[in-house]
Amino acid sequence: MSNFNQLIQQHFGPLSVEDLNTIRKYFREEKLLKNEFFTKSDLVCNRLSMVKSGILRSYALSDGKEITQWLSVPDSFITEAVGFFFNQPNRWNIQAFTEVELLTITKTDYQKLCKEFPKWNEIEKQFIIKCFMMMEDRIFSHLSMTAEERYNRYFDHQKELFTQVPFQYIASVLGMTPETFSRIRKRQAEKS
């Protein structure tokens, strides 16, 4: 992560140094070891984090199979929204795929920040809108793009993941079988 202040402003727009200092004091450094869980399904997630380094995988089990929903990389946010925002049991497990460094705010501190810094409510709204837009974009791509178009788009935006995580995880994120992913990958390699 280049800088906490830059990341906050990149996601939420310009803020004064004083505002940034107020926000920053609520976030704590946290490390997860490889395979350690950030949160598990059926628990209630009690933290929101910015990924400084490493990769986390959000996944669920369905009919004995793991479905990878998301891969979080540096400079992104991670939480289990149903748990964190609505105090309901998580749908997803979030696990460190590598060693991970985070800047984390707990649910308790998040609520304190909202009281101390009323402007945070607008920032929270922007965060939720961005999450909604990302999910809308993902749904649109699954409904309107071919598997190969989805592959190419993800490769263009997350190229480094193709050398860092097993392909079945990326295939799952893209809504395709590992076999389809392999066929597309082979075709792409032949074009190069």
Side-chain angles (χ1 to χ4, degrees), residues 62-77:
S62 176
D63 295 328
K65 292 183 354 184
E66 288 184 0
I67 299 169
T68 300
Q69 184 245 11
W70 199 258
L71 295 165
S72 295
V73 296
D75 294 343
S76 64
F77 288 88

Side-chain angles (χ1 to χ4, degrees), residues 104-120:
T104 297
I105 186 168
T106 64
K107 180 72 172 182
T108 302
D109 282 344
Y110 189 91
Q111 291 165 340
K112 288 178 188 173
L113 176 59
C114 290
K115 287 179 183 157
E116 178 185 343
F117 184 60
K119 198 179 206 179
W120 185 258

